[in-house]
Amino acid sequence: MKIGFIGLGNMARAIIGGMLQEGIVPKEDILGSAKTKETLETVQKEFGIEVRSSNEEVAAEAQVLVLAVKPQFLEGVITQIRNVVKQDTLIISIAAGKTLSWLEEAFGGHVKLVRCMPNTPALVGAGCTGVCVNDAVAQEEVQYSLRLMESFGRASLVEERLMDAVGAVSGSSPAYVFMFLEAMADAAVAAGMPRTQAYEFAAQTVYGSAKLALETGRHPGELKDMVCSPGGTTIEGVRVLEENGFRGTVMDALLATVEKSRKL
Protein backbone atom coordinates (compact mmCIF):
# COMPACT_ATOMS: atom_id res chain seq x y z
CA MET A 1 0.00 0.00 0.00
CA LYS A 2 1.41 3.35 -1.04
CA ILE A 3 1.24 6.12 1.57
CA GLY A 4 1.69 9.61 0.17
CA PHE A 5 2.54 12.82 2.01
CA ILE A 6 1.80 16.26 0.66
CA GLY A 7 3.99 18.43 2.83
CA LEU A 8 7.15 17.12 4.49
CA GLY A 9 7.52 19.40 7.50
CA ASN A 10 8.17 18.41 11.11
CA MET A 11 4.88 16.65 11.70
CA ALA A 12 5.06 14.65 8.46
CA ARG A 13 8.60 13.61 9.38
CA ALA A 14 7.42 12.50 12.82
CA ILE A 15 4.72 10.32 11.23
CA ILE A 16 7.12 8.88 8.65
CA GLY A 17 9.74 8.17 11.30
CA GLY A 18 7.19 6.44 13.51
CA MET A 19 5.82 4.30 10.70
CA LEU A 20 9.27 3.16 9.68
CA GLN A 21 10.39 2.47 13.24
CA GLU A 22 7.27 0.40 13.94
CA GLY A 23 7.58 -1.43 10.63
CA ILE A 24 4.09 -0.46 9.50
CA VAL A 25 5.21 0.19 5.96
CA PRO A 26 8.55 -0.14 4.11
CA LYS A 27 10.27 3.03 2.97
CA GLU A 28 9.75 2.04 -0.68
CA ASP A 29 5.98 2.43 -0.20
CA ILE A 30 6.18 5.99 1.15
CA LEU A 31 6.26 8.94 -1.22
CA GLY A 32 6.06 12.65 -0.69
CA SER A 33 6.07 16.11 -2.20
CA ALA A 34 7.16 19.40 -0.69
CA LYS A 35 7.35 23.07 -1.51
CA THR A 36 11.11 23.19 -2.00
CA LYS A 37 13.68 20.95 -3.63
CA GLU A 38 15.85 21.27 -0.52
CA THR A 39 13.13 19.75 1.66
CA LEU A 40 12.63 16.86 -0.76
CA GLU A 41 16.34 16.10 -0.80
CA THR A 42 16.63 16.33 3.00
CA VAL A 43 13.71 13.99 3.68
CA GLN A 44 14.77 11.53 0.99
CA LYS A 45 18.25 11.37 2.49
CA GLU A 46 16.92 11.03 6.04
CA PHE A 47 14.33 8.29 5.43
CA GLY A 48 15.07 6.87 1.97
CA ILE A 49 11.48 7.40 0.79
CA GLU A 50 10.32 8.13 -2.75
CA VAL A 51 9.80 11.80 -3.65
CA ARG A 52 7.78 13.41 -6.42
CA SER A 53 8.04 16.81 -8.06
CA SER A 54 4.33 17.63 -7.78
CA ASN A 55 1.42 17.18 -5.39
CA GLU A 56 -0.66 15.73 -8.19
CA GLU A 57 1.77 12.86 -8.71
CA VAL A 58 1.63 11.92 -5.03
CA ALA A 59 -2.17 12.15 -4.92
CA ALA A 60 -2.54 9.98 -8.02
CA GLU A 61 -0.26 7.19 -6.73
CA ALA A 62 -1.22 7.00 -3.07
CA GLN A 63 -3.81 4.65 -1.56
CA VAL A 64 -3.46 6.56 1.72
CA LEU A 65 -2.89 10.29 1.34
CA VAL A 66 -1.70 12.43 4.25
CA LEU A 67 -2.32 16.17 3.88
CA ALA A 68 0.42 17.66 6.05
CA VAL A 69 0.25 21.31 5.04
CA LYS A 70 -0.68 24.37 7.07
CA PRO A 71 -4.41 25.21 7.19
CA GLN A 72 -4.01 28.39 5.14
CA PHE A 73 -2.53 26.39 2.24
CA LEU A 74 -4.90 23.42 2.36
CA GLU A 75 -7.62 24.76 0.06
CA GLY A 76 -5.09 25.49 -2.68
CA VAL A 77 -3.57 22.02 -2.37
CA ILE A 78 -6.96 20.32 -2.55
CA THR A 79 -7.83 22.35 -5.64
CA GLN A 80 -4.65 20.97 -7.25
CA ILE A 81 -5.27 17.33 -6.43
CA ARG A 82 -9.02 16.67 -6.17
CA ASN A 83 -9.38 15.58 -9.80
CA VAL A 84 -6.61 12.97 -9.55
CA VAL A 85 -7.43 11.45 -6.14
CA LYS A 86 -9.00 8.01 -6.53
CA GLN A 87 -12.44 7.43 -5.04
CA ASP A 88 -11.18 4.73 -2.67
CA THR A 89 -8.16 6.73 -1.42
CA LEU A 90 -8.09 7.19 2.36
CA ILE A 91 -7.38 10.88 2.98
CA ILE A 92 -5.85 11.92 6.31
CA SER A 93 -5.72 15.62 7.19
CA ILE A 94 -3.69 17.05 10.07
CA ALA A 95 -4.71 20.67 9.42
CA ALA A 96 -6.07 22.45 12.49
CA GLY A 97 -9.57 23.88 12.28
CA LYS A 98 -10.55 22.24 8.99
CA THR A 99 -13.64 20.13 9.67
CA LEU A 100 -14.75 16.97 7.92
CA SER A 101 -17.59 18.85 6.25
CA TRP A 102 -15.18 21.56 5.08
CA LEU A 103 -12.89 18.90 3.65
CA GLU A 104 -15.75 17.11 1.89
CA GLU A 105 -16.89 20.36 0.33
CA ALA A 106 -13.34 21.21 -0.76
CA PHE A 107 -12.99 17.82 -2.47
CA GLY A 108 -16.40 18.24 -4.07
CA GLY A 109 -17.66 14.83 -3.11
CA HIS A 110 -18.10 12.17 -0.45
CA VAL A 111 -14.53 10.92 -0.02
CA LYS A 112 -12.95 8.85 2.76
CA LEU A 113 -11.74 11.36 5.33
CA VAL A 114 -9.78 11.05 8.56
CA ARG A 115 -9.12 14.21 10.54
CA CYS A 116 -6.21 14.11 13.01
CA MET A 117 -4.81 16.52 15.56
CA PRO A 118 -1.26 15.48 16.53
CA ASN A 119 1.09 17.55 18.70
CA THR A 120 4.79 18.42 18.70
CA PRO A 121 5.91 15.70 21.19
CA ALA A 122 5.31 13.40 18.20
CA LEU A 123 8.79 14.52 17.12
CA VAL A 124 10.25 12.36 19.90
CA GLY A 125 7.73 9.52 19.65
CA ALA A 126 5.61 10.82 22.54
CA GLY A 127 2.74 12.43 20.67
CA CYS A 128 -0.93 12.52 21.59
CA THR A 129 -3.34 12.55 18.64
CA GLY A 130 -7.09 12.97 18.41
CA VAL A 131 -8.74 11.19 15.46
CA CYS A 132 -12.21 11.50 13.92
CA VAL A 133 -13.60 10.12 10.66
CA ASN A 134 -16.52 10.57 8.30
CA ASP A 135 -19.03 7.82 7.54
CA ALA A 136 -17.26 6.77 4.33
CA VAL A 137 -14.36 5.30 6.32
CA ALA A 138 -14.62 1.57 7.03
CA GLN A 139 -13.84 0.17 10.48
CA GLU A 140 -10.60 -1.48 9.32
CA GLU A 141 -9.52 1.89 7.88
CA VAL A 142 -10.25 3.54 11.22
CA GLN A 143 -8.04 1.00 12.95
CA TYR A 144 -5.31 1.45 10.34
CA SER A 145 -5.41 5.23 10.82
CA LEU A 146 -5.13 4.82 14.59
CA ARG A 147 -2.20 2.46 14.12
CA LEU A 148 -0.40 5.06 12.00
CA MET A 149 -0.93 7.74 14.65
CA GLU A 150 0.06 5.38 17.47
CA SER A 151 3.40 4.78 15.75
CA PHE A 152 4.64 8.05 17.27
CA GLY A 153 2.72 8.14 20.57
CA ARG A 154 -0.84 7.73 21.78
CA ALA A 155 -3.96 8.17 19.65
CA SER A 156 -7.65 8.16 20.49
CA LEU A 157 -10.83 8.18 18.42
CA VAL A 158 -13.03 11.13 19.42
CA GLU A 159 -16.23 12.75 18.24
CA GLU A 160 -15.52 15.64 15.91
CA ARG A 161 -17.23 18.11 18.25
CA LEU A 162 -14.35 17.49 20.67
CA MET A 163 -11.54 18.26 18.22
CA ASP A 164 -11.24 21.88 19.37
CA ALA A 165 -10.79 20.60 22.92
CA VAL A 166 -8.19 18.10 21.66
CA GLY A 167 -6.35 20.98 20.01
CA ALA A 168 -6.32 22.89 23.29
CA VAL A 169 -5.38 20.13 25.72
CA SER A 170 -2.78 18.41 23.53
CA GLY A 171 -2.07 20.49 20.41
CA SER A 172 -1.44 23.88 22.04
CA SER A 173 -0.65 22.85 25.60
CA PRO A 174 2.98 21.84 25.01
CA ALA A 175 3.67 25.58 24.70
CA TYR A 176 2.14 26.16 28.14
CA VAL A 177 4.07 23.23 29.60
CA PHE A 178 7.31 24.68 28.20
CA MET A 179 6.47 28.03 29.81
CA PHE A 180 5.90 26.26 33.14
CA LEU A 181 9.14 24.33 32.71
CA GLU A 182 11.04 27.54 31.96
CA ALA A 183 9.56 29.25 35.01
CA MET A 184 10.57 26.32 37.23
CA ALA A 185 14.12 26.48 35.89
CA ASP A 186 14.24 30.27 36.38
CA ALA A 187 13.30 29.79 40.03
CA ALA A 188 16.02 27.18 40.46
CA VAL A 189 18.55 29.56 38.89
CA ALA A 190 17.38 32.30 41.26
CA ALA A 191 18.05 29.86 44.11
CA GLY A 192 21.62 29.32 42.85
CA MET A 193 21.42 26.32 40.49
CA PRO A 194 23.33 26.49 37.15
CA ARG A 195 21.00 27.11 34.19
CA THR A 196 21.72 23.85 32.32
CA GLN A 197 21.19 21.76 35.41
CA ALA A 198 18.02 23.68 36.26
CA TYR A 199 16.48 22.86 32.86
CA GLU A 200 17.43 19.20 33.26
CA PHE A 201 15.84 18.94 36.71
CA ALA A 202 12.70 20.79 35.62
CA ALA A 203 12.24 18.82 32.39
CA GLN A 204 12.79 15.44 34.04
CA THR A 205 10.33 16.35 36.77
CA VAL A 206 7.61 17.29 34.27
CA TYR A 207 8.32 14.12 32.26
CA GLY A 208 8.33 11.89 35.33
CA SER A 209 5.13 13.40 36.73
CA ALA A 210 3.29 12.84 33.43
CA LYS A 211 4.62 9.27 33.25
CA LEU A 212 3.46 8.61 36.81
CA ALA A 213 -0.05 9.86 36.00
CA LEU A 214 -0.30 7.81 32.80
CA GLU A 215 1.12 4.57 34.17
CA THR A 216 -0.69 4.52 37.52
CA GLY A 217 -4.01 5.90 36.26
CA ARG A 218 -4.43 7.64 39.61
CA HIS A 219 -6.27 10.96 39.87
CA PRO A 220 -3.94 14.00 39.56
CA GLY A 221 -5.32 15.34 42.85
CA GLU A 222 -4.38 12.10 44.60
CA LEU A 223 -0.86 12.24 43.17
CA LYS A 224 -0.57 15.88 44.25
CA ASP A 225 -1.64 14.96 47.79
CA MET A 226 1.08 12.28 47.92
CA VAL A 227 3.71 15.05 47.64
CA CYS A 228 2.11 17.43 50.14
CA SER A 229 3.25 16.59 53.68
CA PRO A 230 1.40 18.35 56.54
CA GLY A 231 3.02 21.69 57.24
CA GLY A 232 5.67 21.00 54.58
CA THR A 233 7.32 22.91 51.76
CA THR A 234 5.14 21.57 48.93
CA ILE A 235 1.80 22.57 50.45
CA GLU A 236 3.20 26.05 50.98
CA GLY A 237 3.97 26.26 47.27
CA VAL A 238 0.48 24.94 46.44
CA ARG A 239 -1.00 27.67 48.64
CA VAL A 240 0.87 30.37 46.68
CA LEU A 241 -0.23 28.90 43.34
CA GLU A 242 -3.87 28.80 44.47
CA GLU A 243 -3.70 32.38 45.80
CA ASN A 244 -2.58 33.50 42.34
CA GLY A 245 -5.27 31.61 40.46
CA PHE A 246 -3.01 28.95 38.95
CA ARG A 247 -5.69 26.42 37.98
CA GLY A 248 -8.19 29.05 36.90
CA THR A 249 -5.59 30.73 34.69
CA VAL A 250 -4.67 27.43 33.04
CA MET A 251 -8.34 26.69 32.39
CA ASP A 252 -8.89 30.18 30.95
CA ALA A 253 -5.89 29.75 28.64
CA LEU A 254 -7.16 26.43 27.26
CA LEU A 255 -10.72 27.68 26.83
CA ALA A 256 -9.37 30.71 24.96
CA THR A 257 -7.52 28.27 22.70
CA VAL A 258 -10.76 26.36 22.08
CA GLU A 259 -12.60 29.53 21.11
CA LYS A 260 -9.82 30.59 18.75
CA SER A 261 -9.83 27.17 17.12
CA ARG A 262 -13.59 27.39 16.52
CA LYS A 263 -13.08 30.61 14.60
CA LEU A 264 -10.40 29.29 12.23
Side-chain angles (χ1 to χ4, degrees):
M1 181 180 291
K2 290 280 186 181
I3 301 181
F5 286 80
I6 295 180
L8 293 171
N10 287 333
M11 201 57 68
R13 294 182 201 188
I15 299 171
I16 292 169
M19 290 192 308
L20 292 175
Q21 186 171 339
E22 294 298 315
I24 294 174
V25 61
K27 62 185 179 182
E28 295 82 10
D29 286 342
I30 303 174
L31 60 150
S33 59
K35 202 170 184 179
T36 68
K37 184 179 178 181
E38 289 76 17
T39 299
L40 288 174
E41 291 175 349
T42 298
V43 175
Q44 187 177 39
K45 183 177 180 181
E46 182 178 1
F47 297 112
I49 68 169
E50 299 287 326
V51 296
R52 299 291 183 267
S53 59
S54 73
N55 297 335
E56 293 92 330
E57 289 179 83
V58 173
E61 290 184 54
Q63 283 84 51
V64 177
L65 181 63
V66 182
L67 303 178
V69 298
K70 295 185 183 301
Q72 61 267 35
F73 302 129
L74 188 56
E75 185 172 9
V77 167
I78 293 175
T79 300
Q80 286 180 336
I81 68 173
R82 62 187 172 197
N83 292 327
V84 298
V85 174
K86 300 179 185 70
Q87 190 173 4
D88 61 348
T89 298
L90 182 65
I91 301 168
I92 300 175
S93 169
I94 63 171
K98 299 304 184 183
T99 65
L100 293 171
S101 61
W102 185 95
L103 289 162
E104 282 186 9
E105 185 176 350
F107 274 101
H110 196 49
V111 292
K112 296 181 178 184
L113 290 170
V114 180
R115 181 183 170 197
C116 298
M117 178 62 67
N119 62 1
T120 55
L123 298 173
V124 291
C128 186
T129 305
V131 179
C132 64
V133 304
N134 71 354
D135 58 11
V137 179
Q139 186 57 41
E140 58 269 24
E141 293 170 325
V142 174
Q143 295 306 314
Y144 184 76
S145 301
L146 286 170
R147 188 181 173 208
L148 291 183
M149 298 301 119
E150 288 170 348
S151 71
F152 53 88
R154 295 177 180 239
S156 293
L157 192 65
V158 301
E159 296 177 38
E160 187 174 28
R161 65 181 181 84
L162 298 176
M163 287 298 277
D164 292 315
V166 169
V169 75
S170 66
S172 297
S173 287
Y176 315 145
V177 173
F178 296 139
M179 291 173 69
F180 178 56
L181 190 155
E182 188 177 30
M184 290 170 63
D186 283 345
V189 170
M193 183 177 285
R195 171 71 60 182
T196 301
Q197 194 172 41
Y199 280 134
E200 182 181 357
F201 269 79
Q204 181 61 33
T205 298
V206 170
Y207 170 76
S209 300
K211 186 176 173 67
L212 185 63
L214 286 170
E215 294 191 2
T216 65
R218 298 171 77 169
H219 191 283
E222 182 184 358
L223 295 173
K224 180 263 295 178
D225 289 348
M226 287 170 54
V227 193
C228 296
S229 303
T233 57
T234 305
I235 195 64
E236 184 65 15
V238 169
R239 181 187 67 79
V240 173
L241 288 172
E242 294 288 19
E243 280 184 350
N244 287 276
F246 177 70
R247 283 191 281 192
T249 300
V250 172
M251 289 176 67
D252 286 346
L254 265 70
L255 289 172
T257 304
V258 169
E259 287 304 309
K260 180 67 174 180
S261 178
R262 287 172 178 165
K263 295 174 182 177
L264 289 177

